[in-house]
Amino acid sequence: MTLDDDVMNLLEQEARRTGASFKHVVNRRIRLGFSLNTAEGRKPFKLKARVLGLPPGLSYDNVAELIEAVEGADHK
């Protein structure tokens, strides 16, 4: 196995910082990477969409009027 120089440096720094062997650091990081990539037990994210619409009397046809109605006359 060949490691990129930046990865090798990070692993060596971790080994020095923790006092663990290089082998231990590599194995721990690989296990951590695999554990983060598993989707088992995770509930899928669901988004409930709803129609917001506009209040009565407002329209997207006149954007300046719409902004003024929402933000007030001093919106500029």
Side-chain angles (χ1 to χ4, degrees):
M1 174 172 59
T2 304
L3 299 173
D4 292 341
D5 291 339
D6 62 325
V7 174
M8 183 71 146
N9 289 336
L10 291 169
L11 291 168
E12 288 173 342
Q13 288 174 12
E14 178 79 4
R16 281 193 300 273
R17 186 181 65 78
T18 62
S21 70
F22 184 79
K23 176 184 173 182
H24 179 77
V25 170
V26 170
N27 285 321
R28 185 175 57 202
R29 289 298 178 162
I30 290 172
R31 285 185 187 101
L32 178 62
F34 279 120
S35 70
L36 293 176
N37 288 330
T38 60
E40 296 174 14
R42 290 187 189 167
K43 188 176 177 183
F45 179 79
K46 293 183 181 179
L47 180 65
K48 294 181 181 177
R50 61 182 185 156
V51 179
L52 297 177
L54 285 174
L58 296 179
S59 167
Y60 289 117
D61 295 334
N62 187 340
V63 176
E65 185 178 284
L66 180 62
I67 292 172
E68 186 171 324
V70 173
E71 295 186 9
D74 298 328
H75 65 81
K76 295 180 183 179

